[in-house]
Amino acid sequence: MRRRDVLKSAVAGSIALTAPNVVRAQGTAGASSLLKFVPQADLASLDPMWTTADITRNHSLAVFDTLFGIDAKFVARPQMLAGSTTSADGKTWDLTLRDGLTFHDGTPVLARDAVASIKRFCVRDPLGSALAARMDDISAPTDKTIQIKLKTPFALLPDALGAYACAIMPERLAKTPATDQVMEMVGSGPFRFKAAERVPGSLVVYEKFAGYKPRTDGMPSFTAGPKIVNFDRVEWRMLPDPATAAAALANGEVDWWENPTLDLIPSLRRNKDLVIRVTDSTGEIGCLRFNHLYPPFDNPAIRRAVLQACDQVDFMQAVSGAEPSLIKTPVGIFVPGTTYANDAGMDAVKKPVDVETAKKNLAAAGYKGERIVLLAATSFPTINQIALVAGDLLKRIGMNVDYQSMDWPTVVQRRASMEPIDKGGWNIFFTFLGGPGNISPASHIAIRGTGKAAWPGWPTNAKMESLRDAWFAAPDLAAQQALTKEMQGLFFQDPPYVPLGMYDQPTAYRNSLTDVRDGYPQFYGVKKV
């Protein structure tokens, strides 16, 4: 049964309407010095180490800086660093901070701040934990020098220190346990976070940090190179209704809509004042995430039965049927056509089973009618759509679904709970996986098998961890590709989540904006003409 007709947005023709109740610019900033941005969701968490939510990533890129930046070809470049040296055996790295780096509270950025920030990053981040496993010592011999001593060479060290989650903050904040949120936003990035102006569900404000000194060399690319700020103020306007957001963009009430609803893309393309383009080449892979701590999804056979019942085409048509060119299926754990994409185990998603067979598979796997608490984010259109399709499917194959609708920030909070469902826990949530993890196992959070130290869902899979370790140690690309093929085969036997297909998400902005960077939304470099 196709769900596209049921889920199609009814607002595609409404973008010519005047946008009501759009939050007006605050303060005295003129139009040319104010950037008005509609984010994909409200900003529920401020700490990039506490959550992997994309909205927090975007916030982090504005407020914090990183030791390395990552360019559009995913090559690490010095960012907060003047340079680095590596010993002949590859085991000692000396990193030198640039002159003039200052935190938003006026204090200088010192090596000990970076050391504390790196230590915190290494606790939870997938690539950070790989670095930590190979790190013998990290210290600050001088105020400008960070020294890292490794047990074995680790060529991906710059990539790890260029991850947005490796946000450099003052030592006093970086000493906050990685399991606790940092609530005071003091970075050294190009923008200050204006906490006093934050209106939950409505407005988030950033202002240009006058003390920020961009690099004087390199090419602006993704998070690397000079970060030149051309706006005094950036306002994030929360407009959860797609028709309102589309009208606001069309009428110039806002400048940029991060993730326009895909049903509206054809209409938006007809507006000569708008630019519609895909800036993020890593795409969005749909994810039905299981909680492995409690029945029934502590049983891999039941997880496999659900995976085999899911039709990726159904899910992606629900999301992007209006723009089918954006869809990619079938999809495993990596973006099709990229270095590590392979065909291992793909029959599981190429030929979904029919409903009656799925019912039999589920019963044979041991499902006993347990209540399934499913978290559905109604404020996030693409996530809401895949949740609706999944909720209907799971009921039809015989699962006892408790479908709980809530906004996305609440899902982010709820999914962190390890409690059983009768104490506020959950069995399934939905999201989209994006970024470097979609093209490399180094940063892929959703395949990790480290139990309660893993991403919410908390799978335990020692074999997957062993294969990942071997991937880091592999002597060449051919060996790495062989290992990622083995990883994907294991994934489909013991699935930590269900991949629901992939689409490329366009962004939309007024053609008065120029120099919008490829990659995630970033507010430096952008100009208004």
Side-chain angles (χ1 to χ4, degrees):
M1 174 182 175
R2 301 293 181 187
R3 300 286 295 167
R4 181 65 201 163
D5 292 339
V6 177
L7 298 170
K8 184 179 292 184
S9 169
V11 298
S14 65
I15 64 173
L17 300 176
T18 300
N21 301 320
V22 176
V23 179
R24 302 292 171 174
Q26 299 186 20
T28 59
S32 63
S33 62
L34 171 64
L35 178 65
K36 296 163 290 184
F37 177 76
V38 180
Q40 58 184 261
D42 193 13
L43 184 62
S45 173
L46 304 176
D47 186 347
M49 272 308 303
W50 192 82
T51 180
T52 58
D54 288 351
I55 193 70
T56 303
R57 173 202 66 199
N58 299 345
H59 158 82
S60 179
L61 290 172
V63 174
F64 299 103
D65 215 346
T66 51
L67 297 178
F68 288 87
I70 306 298
D71 70 17
K73 294 184 178 179
F74 298 99
V75 176
R77 309 286 185 186
Q79 185 58 35
M80 294 177 71
L81 299 176
S84 63
T85 60
T86 311
S87 62
D89 63 2
K91 294 182 180 181
T92 301
W93 290 68
D94 288 301
L95 313 173
T96 305
L97 293 171
R98 288 195 283 125
D99 292 334
L101 299 178
T102 307
F103 285 118
H104 299 159
D105 62 4
T107 60
V109 178
L110 303 177
R112 64 174 178 265
D113 300 307
V115 167
S117 299
I118 293 168
K119 287 181 177 179
R120 186 170 188 264
F121 162 74
C122 285
V123 173
R124 294 182 65 178
D125 184 87
L127 193 47
S129 64
L131 171 60
R134 292 156 180 81
M135 193 159 57
D136 196 30
D137 185 54
I138 180 170
S139 63
T142 73
D143 284 347
K144 284 290 190 71
T145 305
I146 304 142
Q147 185 173 83
I148 299 177
K149 294 183 178 180
L150 302 172
K151 300 170 186 174
T152 58
F154 188 57
L156 292 178
L157 183 146
D159 301 76
L161 302 188
Y164 77 89
C166 194
I168 304 304
M169 58 185 67
E171 182 183 35
R172 63 183 177 82
L173 298 178
K175 286 186 174 180
T176 303
T179 52
D180 297 338
Q181 293 193 62
V182 172
M183 301 304 294
E184 182 185 356
M185 290 292 99
V186 180
S188 64
F191 291 95
R192 293 176 184 266
F193 174 67
K194 301 289 288 181
E197 295 190 52
R198 182 184 182 190
V199 181
S202 179
L203 182 68
V204 175
V205 177
Y206 304 89
E207 70 173 9
K208 179 179 181 178
F209 175 40
Y212 183 74
K213 292 189 176 181
R215 292 195 70 85
T216 57
D217 62 339
M219 291 292 294
S221 180
F222 202 8
T223 65
K227 297 179 178 179
I228 309 296
V229 175
N230 298 303
F231 295 95
D232 295 329
R233 182 180 174 95
V234 175
E235 295 181 358
W236 290 11
R237 316 286 188 78
M238 268 40 88
L239 300 177
D241 175 57
T244 301
L249 182 67
N251 296 330
E253 296 278 354
V254 298
D255 302 300
W256 186 355
W257 185 9
E258 180 184 2
N259 287 352
T261 306
L262 298 180
D263 281 341
L264 297 179
I265 292 296
S267 298
L268 294 171
R269 288 192 194 281
R270 292 194 289 270
N271 187 327
K272 63 181 178 58
D273 296 324
L274 303 181
V275 176
I276 314 298
R277 70 185 183 96
V278 174
T279 58
D280 182 2
S281 63
T282 64
E284 300 286 345
I285 297 178
C287 172
L288 183 161
R289 182 67 165 183
F290 301 111
N291 187 335
H292 296 239
L293 298 183
Y294 302 105
F297 298 123
D298 57 345
N299 180 344
I302 292 178
R303 299 197 300 271
R304 282 196 302 274
V306 171
L307 183 149
Q308 291 164 359
C310 290
D311 185 340
Q312 292 189 353
V313 174
D314 272 356
F315 283 94
M316 287 303 101
Q317 283 188 339
V319 170
S320 191
E323 286 285 304
S325 63
L326 299 174
I327 296 172
K328 292 183 176 70
T329 59
V331 175
I333 57 179
F334 301 113
V335 172
T338 58
T339 302
Y340 300 110
N342 62 82
D343 60 359
M346 289 291 285
D347 283 347
V349 291
K350 287 181 179 177
K351 299 176 182 178
V353 300
D354 60 76
V355 170
E356 292 305 314
T357 302
K359 287 181 179 179
K360 293 175 183 177
N361 290 346
L362 199 58
Y367 179 64
K368 299 179 177 62
E370 295 96 336
R371 181 164 67 103
I372 307 297
V373 172
L374 183 155
L375 307 183
T378 55
S379 64
F380 207 129
T382 53
I383 294 178
N384 187 47
Q385 286 158 352
I386 60 175
L388 286 168
V389 175
D392 175 72
L393 173 65
L394 295 177
K395 289 176 182 177
R396 286 190 291 121
I397 67 174
M399 295 199 118
N400 176 17
V401 177
D402 180 359
Y403 193 98
Q404 298 190 11
S405 299
M406 61 199 70
D407 62 18
W408 176 241
T410 304
V411 171
V412 172
Q413 297 288 339
R414 280 277 299 275
R415 74 184 188 183
S417 172
M418 293 187 186
E419 295 293 333
I421 60 172
D422 60 351
K423 294 184 178 179
W426 56 276
N427 297 111
I428 288 174
F429 77 85
F430 301 88
T431 190
F432 281 88
L433 304 173
N438 278 0
I439 59 175
S440 167
S443 303
H444 202 314
I445 57 172
I447 63 171
R448 297 300 305 276
T450 53
K452 291 187 177 181
W455 189 51
W458 309 287
T460 298
N461 192 325
K463 178 62 174 176
M464 184 67 80
E465 290 300 300
S466 176
L467 289 170
R468 183 172 178 271
D469 286 342
W471 181 88
F472 281 113
D476 53 37
L477 178 59
Q480 287 183 322
Q481 289 174 324
L483 285 161
T484 48
K485 189 167 186 175
E486 192 174 350
M487 292 168 77
Q488 184 163 287
L490 176 63
F491 170 90
F492 282 116
Q493 286 299 309
D494 189 1
Y497 66 93
V498 178
L500 301 175
M502 173 186 162
Y503 76 98
D504 290 319
Q505 172 66 59
T507 196
Y509 53 89
R510 305 281 302 177
N511 62 12
S512 56
L513 295 186
T514 64
D515 298 331
V516 174
R517 292 193 182 192
D518 285 341
Y520 315 134
Q522 298 158 84
F523 308 105
Y524 37 80
V526 186
K527 300 174 185 175
K528 185 181 288 188
V529 296

